[in-house]
Amino acid sequence: MADDSAHGVQIPSAKTSGSKEYTDVGADNGSDQDVPRFTVPVDSENKSKVLKIWSFQRPHHLCFHLNWMSFMIAFFATFAAPPMMPVIRDDLDLTKQDISGAAIASVTGAVFSRILLGAVCDSYGPRYGHGVLQLLTSCATFGMAAVSNSAGFIACRMLIGFSLATFVACQFWCSVLFNAKIVGTANAVAAGWGNMGAGLTHLIMPYILSGIEKSQPNFVAWRCAYFIPAWMQIFIGLAVLVFGQDLPDGNYSALRKAGKKDKAKTHMELLAAVKNYRTWVMVLTYGYCFGVELTVDNNISPYLYDQFDMDLHTAGVLGAVFGLSNLFARALGGITSDLVARKYGMRGRLWNLWIVQTLGGVCSIAMFYCDSSLGLTMMVVAFWSIFVPMGCGASYGIAPFITRRGLGVASGLIGAGGNAGSAVTQALFFTGTNMSTAEGFKWMGVMIIAVTATLVTIHFPMWGGMLTRGNPDITEEEYYSRDYTAAEREQGLHRAILNWASESRSNRGFKDQLAKLSADLTEKANTATAV
């Protein structure tokens, strides 16, 4: 085992179990001796078995960092308006309905773009999902400088919100870079750090605004402030396209050209996702964890500003608490999902999600009863800001296992569910004048608890559900192969998912895995004796 002290990682030797040579099939390396090896232990699909957040080695960890950075910038751009809302509101003469309409628009656009981006990831790869979308939506971010009325403001917020679809590419990319045993953690860390962009924008944009106001009037300053997230989108979009890599083995186009990857059948990927009822249950429940996060991001700073009569900077700093907790909270949800799965399998993952998401609902209700005390409100926000992102992280500890063939589409649909949930919640409880924001938080909490209860309906035939046990005689290979027709299985097309099926056997839980291993060893011993 050689040590690469410059990068703080160990490079497995050629004879080390689990290490494989990494070939960029798009390049002509001349000879096998010129091919660099993976610097992390990998599984049968060349997915990393470890997540080293301090590493920037290609391909796994460089792509991991480009991945979360792109998603974070999408969040930063989408939620740049709320922390500056008092200034924007006065400049454009926005009503409460206008502000709520803009908040709904900012998340509604991503409902459609997330569904579409799932198919893009399946067909063209996550690099294009990130890069092209960031470059396109940066035009709308720049367009904020020319807004002169409520219609233009709402339209721009909707177009900028399309960039939130990078979440789908984010979760897809982690799912093809990291092993099944740590995919929940990788998904949660990447998405959590990305979601942190909402907290950063609440924290940073008021200071960017005040800095520009030293030389420009405020009706010019808030428009100029939008140039910062716009340029960030352009920079990260180009970086992902130039330095990113779709899969550990190379980019989609190069792999297909080399005959190492089949051309996607988009309609079959779509069918694999939509015909699986588990996808739709997760769409619903994700609407009340990530959807809640989006709703709070849109309302928390204006609520604190109006409810407790504080200045813009203080409201922004306190409002940032909710988003900044994603630095660790969403990752914690993914980590706990992977940890409980080691002992309790998929059943543990489902219970973990139900517990943390229900606690998020309790915190949302508590906001109503603390509306007269800033101290109590911030205490509730502190707990709320942990449970909601944990639920998001725990959700994507489950989502990658629903279907392998339709992974991108399923990820897109579930992600879109988050945006749809936010749009519905914003329209029901935070639009109009007949309900206060505090009352909206209370009824949103009731919805969270009710919708989360539907997780009890999810059952995997080989792993079970929250209240049901799985059938050990049904294999993971059988379950994932069902997404292929009989003709496709005869052609061997289903073999692409067999390695994943084998790796996902860890969701049986420690006891079930031990029992299966014991049975297999007994069968082999009996066979050997008979011979």
Side-chain angles (χ1 to χ4, degrees):
M1 181 80 69
D3 180 62
D4 184 358
S5 58
H7 297 288
V9 297
Q10 290 183 315
I11 301 177
S13 63
K15 295 181 180 180
T16 301
S17 175
S19 85
K20 292 180 180 290
E21 290 188 341
Y22 160 55
T23 305
D24 183 352
V25 298
D28 183 8
N29 295 302
S31 69
D32 290 340
Q33 294 180 350
D34 296 327
V35 179
R37 298 184 180 92
F38 291 119
T39 57
V40 291
V42 297
D43 63 15
S44 57
E45 293 183 288
N46 288 342
K47 294 179 181 178
S48 176
K49 293 182 177 180
V50 296
L51 174 62
K52 297 184 177 182
I53 59 176
W54 57 86
S55 174
F56 283 83
Q57 287 289 310
R58 284 178 59 92
H60 304 91
H61 290 91
L62 176 61
C63 292
F64 170 79
H65 288 293
L66 289 172
N67 196 15
W68 72 261
M69 287 178 187
S70 177
F71 187 39
M72 182 192 72
I73 290 170
F75 250 89
F76 193 94
T78 299
F79 294 100
M84 300 189 294
M85 190 56 71
V87 174
I88 300 173
R89 178 177 60 194
D90 293 340
D91 180 33
L92 299 179
D93 294 324
L94 301 177
T95 64
K96 183 177 180 180
Q97 287 77 12
D98 292 332
I99 295 171
S100 295
I104 294 171
S106 70
V107 297
T108 302
V111 173
F112 308 104
S113 60
R114 285 188 171 198
I115 295 172
L116 178 62
L117 206 66
V120 169
C121 288
D122 280 327
S123 300
Y124 302 102
R127 284 168 54 250
Y128 285 104
H130 273 293
V132 174
L133 188 59
Q134 289 282 24
L135 294 175
L136 289 175
T137 54
S138 67
C139 299
T141 312
F142 277 118
M144 273 292 191
V147 167
S148 60
N149 53 44
S150 60
F153 178 69
I154 292 172
C156 279
R157 283 214 68 188
M158 182 179 215
L159 293 173
I160 297 169
F162 281 21
S163 65
L164 290 180
T166 52
F167 168 77
V168 177
C170 173
Q171 301 297 271
F172 183 95
W173 214 352
C174 282
S175 297
V176 298
L177 289 173
F178 294 95
N179 176 262
K181 293 182 180 179
I182 63 165
V183 69
T185 300
N187 272 335
V189 173
W193 288 0
N195 286 4
M196 191 171 61
L200 290 175
T201 196
H202 279 83
L203 186 64
I204 295 172
M205 288 306 288
Y207 290 96
I208 294 175
L209 176 64
S210 61
I212 299 174
E213 283 179 335
K214 292 178 180 178
S215 60
Q216 300 291 334
N218 59 11
F219 66 87
V220 174
W222 75 263
R223 301 167 190 275
C224 294
Y226 260 99
F227 289 164
I228 303 300
W231 280 112
M232 291 168 65
Q233 286 181 286
I234 290 177
F235 175 80
I236 195 64
L238 294 174
V240 167
L241 291 173
V242 173
F243 300 109
Q245 183 169 299
D246 293 320
L247 298 173
D249 295 318
N251 291 323
Y252 275 28
S253 58
L255 289 168
R256 285 172 179 153
K257 186 176 181 180
K260 296 185 177 182
K261 181 174 176 58
D262 295 326
K263 186 176 180 180
K265 297 180 179 179
T266 305
H267 67 288
M268 294 302 294
E269 276 74 36
L270 176 64
L271 183 62
V274 299
K275 74 179 183 180
N276 195 317
Y277 83 93
R278 301 166 192 85
T279 301
W280 297 107
V281 176
M282 291 300 297
V283 167
L284 185 63
T285 60
Y286 198 65
Y288 281 88
C289 59
F290 185 63
V292 169
E293 186 165 352
L294 294 176
T295 303
V296 176
D297 287 336
N298 267 319
N299 290 281
I300 190 65
S301 287
Y303 170 70
L304 295 174
Y305 178 86
D306 293 328
Q307 185 73 15
F308 299 105
D309 194 26
M310 59 181 60
D311 62 74
L312 191 64
H313 293 86
T314 304
V317 171
L318 294 180
V321 170
F322 192 87
L324 290 176
S325 66
N326 277 286
L327 177 65
F328 67 90
R330 183 156 184 159
L332 186 59
I335 291 169
T336 55
S337 182
D338 286 340
L339 286 176
V340 298
R342 293 179 185 177
K343 186 173 183 180
Y344 301 107
M346 180 56 70
R347 301 182 73 189
R349 291 186 188 273
L350 290 166
W351 275 105
N352 175 62
L353 174 57
W354 180 82
I355 290 170
V356 296
Q357 192 158 311
T358 299
L359 288 173
V362 172
C363 289
S364 187
I365 294 172
M367 285 289 287
F368 172 75
Y369 297 99
C370 300
D371 65 342
S372 60
S373 170
L374 177 61
L376 287 175
T377 294
M378 291 311 301
M379 183 176 71
V380 172
V381 168
F383 285 104
W384 201 18
S385 69
I386 294 173
F387 293 131
V388 172
M390 279 188 70
C392 297
S395 294
Y396 273 83
I398 298 168
F401 299 100
I402 293 175
T403 173
R404 196 59 187 170
R405 185 173 195 179
L407 172 63
V409 176
S411 297
L413 287 170
I414 295 168
N419 290 75
S422 178
V424 170
T425 303
Q426 185 76 35
L428 288 176
F429 307 130
F430 299 94
T431 301
T433 57
N434 59 343
M435 186 182 294
S436 69
T437 302
E439 289 176 310
F441 288 146
K442 179 182 74 171
W443 290 110
M444 181 172 69
V446 173
M447 288 286 288
I448 294 169
I449 294 171
V451 170
T452 303
T454 62
L455 285 170
V456 75
T457 64
I458 293 182
H459 173 87
F460 289 88
M462 62 288 190
W463 301 327
M466 289 177 63
L467 304 176
T468 57
R469 291 187 176 276
N471 183 347
D473 294 329
I474 298 177
T475 68
E476 286 74 8
E477 288 78 6
E478 286 180 73
Y479 174 77
Y480 288 111
S481 293
R482 292 174 185 175
D483 290 334
Y484 293 83
T485 65
E488 288 176 325
R489 289 196 292 271
E490 287 181 7
Q491 297 174 38
L493 298 181
H494 68 295
R495 292 173 186 167
I497 54 88
L498 295 184
N499 286 334
W500 166 261
S502 177
E503 297 291 344
S504 69
R505 196 164 288 120
S506 58
N507 283 304
R508 289 179 178 264
F510 177 75
K511 291 182 179 180
D512 288 344
Q513 290 184 72
L514 191 62
K516 185 70 167 62
L517 178 62
S518 177
D520 290 343
L521 290 175
T522 301
E523 183 180 352
K524 289 181 180 179
N526 292 337
T527 301
T529 302
V531 173

